[in-house]
Amino acid sequence: MQALYNIAKISAMIIKKLFLPVSLFFLPLPAFMQTKTIDQKVDSVLKLMTLDEKIGQMNQYNGDWESTGPITKDGDKQNQVRKGMLGSMLNVTGVDHTRTLQEMAMQSRLKIPLLFGQDIIHGYRTIFPVPLAEASSWDTAAIRLSARIAATEAAAAGVHWTFAPMVDIARDPRWGRVMEGAGEDPFLGSLIAAARVKGFQGKGLGNIDALMACAKHFAAYGAAIGGRDYNSVDMSERTLWEIYLPPFKAAVDAGAATLMNSFNDLNGIPASGNKYLQRDILKGKWNFKGFIVSDWGSIGEMIQHGFVKDNYEAALAAVTAGSDMDMESRSYINNLSKLVKEGKVKMQLIDEAVKRILRKKFELGLFNDPFKFCNKEREQQQWNNPENLKAEKIIAEKSIVLLKNDHLPGQQNHLLPLSKQIKTIALIGPFVKGIRDNLGFWSYSWPDDSVRIVSVWRGIENKVGSNTKLLYAKGCEIDDSSLVGFAEAMETARQADVVIMSMGEASDMSGEAKSRSNIHLPGVQEELIRGIQATGKPVIVMISAGRPLIFNWTADNVPAILYTWWLGTEAGDAIADVLFGDYNPSAKLPISFPRTEGQIPIYYNHYKTGRPATSDSDRFYRSAYIDLSIYPKFPFGYGLSYTNFNYSDIQLSHSTLHANEVIRATVTVSNTGNFDGEETVQLYIQDLVGSVVRPVKELKGFQKVFLKKGESRQITFTIGIDKLKFYNAGLKYLAEPGDFKIYIGGNSRDVKETGFTLK
Ligand code: BGC
């Protein structure tokens, strides 16, 4: 794969130069077609199509000007569009540009409109926090809104289809693509998957601000062995069904128009040629009515997998397995016709795939008006929509995780939030004045980035008054071995009352093809933190990243730490709100933070073993490392607030549960600190004895509650039999009678517990 994976996007202005406008007029559907159902319309179009035109619909190419994968060089793409040899293009955006290409499609015999797909992963014009950061909010309404805004902006720029949400569960932070998902948990991941699909698709396809969603990568891509991107996946059926498939099911139930398959093989069968996944599960058991697009070149990559000999066999395997559209491998366009003529692929398989694709084009309204998404005025209006930036800032605030906030020696207050009256603040670190690194991977570059993206420096400058002096020293680069800047940074720190350090990984260090074996804070950053801490000044460390990083010395020695992920366009303002207490942090980690790479994979919902380690002093001849704590550095669900929340013991409405009943579990949560704040109250359940081994605990519910200081509230979870079900040895989804434990708390580790019996 090539360096072009860094998808810094070029602006619509450049795009315009590459294609000359073509003046053709689109002819709307004849009146008799307008009264038919979509399926009837699809059938009418299908009847008119030649085999080549059908195969054309199953073919997708990248535009020629930017890429998210290895483009096949082809000077003839525009002619192929004119001949109806393409159903879709990706990485083509902007009203002018999409119009130009759509006009070419309107020169084709049947004038079937093109679909324009794009990776709108966390925003288009306004960049939102990376998906893993947003997942830390545990706020599905906010996440839905972020997807809604992204869709509105992108649809106004001619895009029809986003290759999002990525709903892969990820238990390995070495995998660079953890940043694109919702973390390690299937329950949280499923709620977020549904929220994102609903956000992208809005009030439904056909609305002018709705994008087709594409849940990806089907399936189990997040379990690539060793966290190495594009690697194989070897997984039990139970883990597949219990952990990796639920977010896909949730996306399908939420109405996802499309799914994307994946680069990996699953237990030896590449996903693109995997009939079990695509036909049996997705189109069969789940009755999915949309279409499946391959991942970039993944149909052709079955040759490298050694699963097929050539593109001819690849096309045969993929179409048989249910892949409807071929992204960029050209296996379909070059081989399907021959395969049909030779009788190896039945026309019915082709028709089925084409119908699925055409149906979506009708649902989007493109047959009525292929230029429906090409409106200059709307594009302009969404280009600078201040409301979108406001929403971005709020979602960014909700995504910031407070990992630590100690008292300073001899002081009553915690270090954070800071007073706005501080005389001198030193801002130190390679991220303080960073611009693009606030956005993270899968984000677009626009010409006005340097003005529009709020750096940490600018955010803090906007916040403090003229009485506060801000000092700056970079200290070191993001990933470098030079200590040259240390002395200046330490001198700057000595002149300040408080030091804020902005550290982390660059925006191209997590993302596709960005797996890392070393996920420590890069370069000499942690040494710089040590140096600054040694000045004796109060130090706050902020870490920007797309994955959990390792920073043990910092975690053990620095009094205050904020995990700021990659927060998007308004990063600096959101950070300043949190630092100075205008927003009280409420986020909770959606993924466990390891102590060292050797502890990976580490996740909270692991199975019980025969020799469980119960604490760090009880880990010998137990399932543990002799040289490492049994605990992650920060557990799943963890995140502090400027206030404190106290949990009462759990009260149960009954101690036994019958199949058609529910139990209510109630705790009283009290805000006992000095600030108003929001807590995410988490419910975990454990099945104590099962016909197959069960996890030590599983998230089964959560509620977000805002409490004024001094306020208490009763929080009740209703537990029915559905929350107790699992896949037994025969893969039947059921609940077994017996004893269960309930845990409720503010993270997966610090919980109150009680139990009940299922009769
Ligand atoms: C990625 C997909 C992405 C596609 C198109 C692939 O390399 O795996 O997630 O949607 O490229 O950009």
Side-chain angles (χ1 to χ4, degrees):
M1 300 294 165
Q2 40 152 291
L4 286 167
Y5 274 96
N6 174 7
I7 63 156
K9 304 289 174 179
I10 53 174
S11 72
M13 276 178 340
I14 303 170
I15 286 166
K16 239 169 48 179
K17 288 189 198 147
L18 291 158
F19 279 86
L20 296 172
V22 180
S23 52
L24 252 198
F25 298 105
F26 166 68
L27 299 173
L29 284 177
F32 77 92
M33 283 280 275
Q34 310 282 357
T35 55
K36 291 183 169 181
T37 66
I38 284 190
D39 281 342
Q40 288 169 329
K41 290 178 191 175
V42 166
D43 286 339
S44 318
V45 175
L46 195 76
K47 274 193 200 125
L48 303 173
M49 296 173 82
T50 62
L51 175 59
D52 285 345
E53 284 166 337
K54 288 177 185 174
I55 295 166
Q57 287 304 303
M58 299 166 70
N59 184 30
Q60 185 191 48
Y61 292 161
N62 192 71
D64 273 334
W65 37 91
E66 61 187 79
S67 84
T68 45
I71 313 179
T72 312
K73 288 272 171 263
D74 182 348
D76 186 48
K77 270 183 198 167
Q78 300 176 24
N79 264 333
Q80 296 179 56
V81 173
R82 291 191 185 93
K83 287 192 206 143
M85 302 312 290
L86 271 166
S88 170
M89 296 196 85
L90 76 150
N91 291 330
V92 178
T93 57
V95 161
D96 290 337
H97 200 197
T98 52
R99 176 178 286 278
T100 303
L101 277 157
Q102 199 67 291
E103 280 170 347
M104 290 178 198
M106 291 305 110
Q107 295 175 38
S108 65
R109 191 178 74 90
L110 291 175
K111 305 186 192 317
I112 299 177
L114 282 172
L115 276 177
F116 296 111
Q118 184 86 5
D119 292 282
I120 310 295
I121 308 293
H122 54 115
Y124 177 68
R125 168 68 170 152
T126 307
I127 303 299
F128 285 87
V130 293
L132 188 62
E134 282 191 349
S136 311
S137 73
W138 296 47
D139 187 331
T140 52
I143 291 170
R144 185 171 171 166
L145 176 65
S146 147
R148 183 84 293 279
I149 293 171
T152 305
E153 290 183 353
V159 178
H160 305 137
W161 180 18
T162 172
F163 304 126
M166 189 194 94
V167 304
D168 298 315
I169 294 296
R171 291 168 154 183
D172 191 331
R174 291 171 300 180
W175 191 47
R177 300 195 81 167
V178 289
M179 52 102 11
E180 283 177 61
E184 74 187 33
D185 183 67
F187 179 85
L188 180 62
S190 298
L191 292 177
I192 291 177
R196 290 199 164 121
V197 167
K198 288 184 184 148
F200 286 130
Q201 298 192 167
K203 296 209 172 89
L205 303 190
N207 285 289
I208 199 62
D209 57 1
L211 292 186
M212 292 202 295
C214 181
K216 69 187 189 186
H217 305 83
F218 197 65
Y221 181 42
I225 294 171
R228 210 163 68 236
D229 213 356
Y230 314 120
N231 205 5
S232 309
V233 173
D234 195 56
M235 173 181 290
S236 75
E237 280 287 308
R238 181 166 310 100
T239 302
L240 177 69
W241 283 93
E242 272 181 15
I243 307 293
Y244 287 84
L245 289 184
F248 286 99
K249 178 66 165 58
V252 169
D253 290 346
T258 69
L259 259 78
M260 183 184 290
N261 60 35
S262 51
F263 291 125
N264 58 286
D265 74 84
L266 174 64
N267 303 330
I269 315 289
S272 304
N274 199 313
K275 179 173 164 297
Y276 172 59
L277 286 174
Q278 300 184 108
R279 286 214 187 271
D280 301 351
I281 298 177
L282 182 56
K283 292 178 176 177
K285 201 173 164 62
W286 295 353
N287 200 21
F288 172 65
K289 294 290 180 220
F291 69 87
I292 306 174
V293 64
S294 77
D295 203 346
W296 183 299
S298 65
I299 295 180
E301 286 175 18
M302 290 195 288
I303 304 169
Q304 281 77 36
H305 275 284
F307 186 68
V308 293
K309 195 172 74 200
D310 51 23
N311 283 95
Y312 173 85
E313 286 189 4
L316 174 61
V319 81
T320 309
S323 301
D324 299 306
M325 188 181 275
D326 174 3
M327 181 191 286
E328 267 291 339
S329 95
R330 298 179 181 233
S331 302
Y332 280 3
I333 196 76
N334 292 333
N335 297 286
L336 276 184
S337 170
K338 190 163 176 243
L339 282 162
V340 172
K341 284 173 191 151
E342 288 173 357
K344 297 212 169 112
V345 169
K346 291 215 172 66
M347 187 62 115
Q348 187 205 335
L349 277 193
I350 306 287
D351 285 352
E352 191 236 326
V354 176
K355 278 189 192 180
R356 286 173 180 269
I357 296 163
L358 292 181
R359 198 179 294 133
K360 292 302 159 199
K361 294 188 176 184
F362 272 108
E363 285 175 18
L364 284 166
L366 292 175
F367 275 98
N368 274 340
D369 179 2
F371 303 104
K372 182 171 169 182
F373 294 83
C374 299
N375 179 317
K376 270 302 247 193
E377 212 178 303
R378 198 164 45 237
E379 184 177 43
Q380 273 310 313
Q381 188 209 346
Q382 287 304 324
W383 191 246
N384 281 320
N385 185 339
E387 293 306 311
N388 298 354
L389 286 174
K390 276 191 211 156
E392 201 290 293
K393 186 172 86 133
I394 293 170
I395 295 169
E397 288 167 358
K398 287 172 183 275
S399 307
I400 298 173
V401 191
L402 178 63
L403 292 180
K404 190 172 177 190
N405 192 17
D406 281 355
H407 298 271
L408 290 181
Q411 298 218 355
Q412 262 210 325
N413 289 341
H414 295 265
L415 179 48
L416 288 172
L418 295 174
S419 152
K420 289 174 199 156
Q421 312 308 322
I422 298 176
K423 291 256 175 328
T424 310
I425 303 176
L427 292 174
I428 293 174
F431 283 82
V432 172
K433 295 205 171 173
I435 299 289
R436 286 272 323 153
D437 284 323
N438 289 303
L439 305 188
F441 204 82
W442 294 115
S443 52
Y444 300 82
S445 286
W446 303 117
D448 56 354
D449 273 355
S450 58
V451 192
R452 202 169 134 94
I453 300 168
V454 185
S455 66
V456 169
W457 174 268
R458 186 140 65 90
I460 294 176
E461 203 177 39
N462 290 342
K463 178 66 67 184
V464 295
S466 53
N467 292 336
T468 302
K469 195 164 151 200
L470 296 183
L471 307 175
Y472 168 67
K474 193 172 193 182
C476 64
E477 298 299 330
I478 293 174
D479 193 9
D480 195 9
S481 55
S482 168
L483 312 181
V484 191
F486 277 33
E488 186 207 358
M490 287 167 71
E491 189 42 43
T492 308
R494 283 194 199 97
Q495 295 166 34
D497 302 307
V498 163
V499 184
I500 300 172
M501 300 190 71
S502 192
M503 321 301 278
E505 57 173 8
S507 65
D508 60 359
M509 291 172 96
S510 282
E512 185 176 346
K514 303 293 179 235
S515 294
R516 292 175 69 88
S517 63
N518 173 352
I519 58 166
H520 280 67
L521 207 47
V524 289
Q525 293 188 55
E526 200 154 38
E527 276 143 271
L528 179 65
I529 297 171
R530 280 174 186 252
I532 300 298
Q533 173 76 6
T535 63
K537 296 290 178 176
V539 178
I540 298 141
V541 167
M542 309 195 299
I543 298 175
S544 299
R547 56 154 63 88
L549 291 178
I550 296 169
F551 45 93
N552 293 325
W553 190 91
T554 303
D556 294 342
N557 293 283
V558 166
I561 303 171
L562 288 167
Y563 214 74
T564 50
W565 306 105
W566 289 324
L567 289 174
T569 313
E570 292 284 301
D573 280 338
I575 284 172
D577 275 357
V578 166
L579 284 170
F580 293 91
D582 290 333
Y583 183 84
N584 182 357
S586 61
K588 302 279 188 176
L589 297 176
I591 185 165
S592 308
F593 274 44
R595 289 170 186 269
T596 156
E597 292 85 0
Q599 203 180 28
I600 298 169
I602 184 161
Y603 44 90
Y604 84 94
N605 50 353
H606 58 85
Y607 288 130
K608 283 186 283 186
T609 66
R611 292 203 182 182
T614 56
S615 73
D616 278 346
S617 48
D618 169 36
R619 64 170 195 253
F620 300 98
Y621 288 98
R622 301 278 172 194
S623 176
Y625 298 105
I626 56 172
D627 58 351
L628 193 66
S629 164
I630 65 167
Y631 303 109
K633 194 70 190 169
F634 298 104
F636 175 82
Y638 173 85
L640 301 173
S641 162
Y642 293 151
T643 194
N644 295 320
F645 296 105
N646 181 60
Y647 283 73
S648 72
D649 287 338
I650 306 170
Q651 304 295 324
L652 282 190
S653 59
H654 311 84
S655 55
T656 53
L657 175 66
H658 295 96
N660 298 322
E661 296 172 348
V662 293
I663 283 186
R664 277 178 298 282
T666 303
V667 287
T668 301
V669 182
S670 308
N671 179 343
T672 56
N674 295 324
F675 298 85
D676 301 344
E678 190 177 38
E679 171 69 326
T680 302
V681 184
Q682 301 159 36
L683 167 76
Y684 297 86
I685 297 181
Q686 179 187 17
D687 188 345
L688 290 182
V689 179
S691 59
V692 293
V693 174
R694 306 299 309 133
V696 293
K697 53 174 78 111
E698 295 171 280
L699 183 72
K700 292 291 178 179
F702 63 88
Q703 291 180 40
K704 292 185 82 72
V705 51
F706 186 87
L707 296 175
K708 292 208 157 299
K709 80 178 177 191
E711 192 184 348
S712 293
R713 183 112 29 103
Q714 279 198 340
I715 302 293
T716 298
F717 292 99
T718 305
I719 299 163
I721 195 162
D722 279 350
K723 287 202 186 321
L724 312 180
K725 289 184 175 168
F726 64 96
Y727 290 92
N728 72 4
L731 286 183
K732 284 221 165 60
Y733 192 59
L734 44 71
E736 290 174 349
D739 293 338
F740 290 80
K741 269 195 178 172
I742 296 180
Y743 305 92
I744 300 180
N747 65 64
S748 60
R749 221 180 124 184
D750 304 316
V751 283
K752 300 282 181 182
E753 65 174 82
T754 185
F756 70 92
T757 305
L758 173 67
K759 287 287 181 192

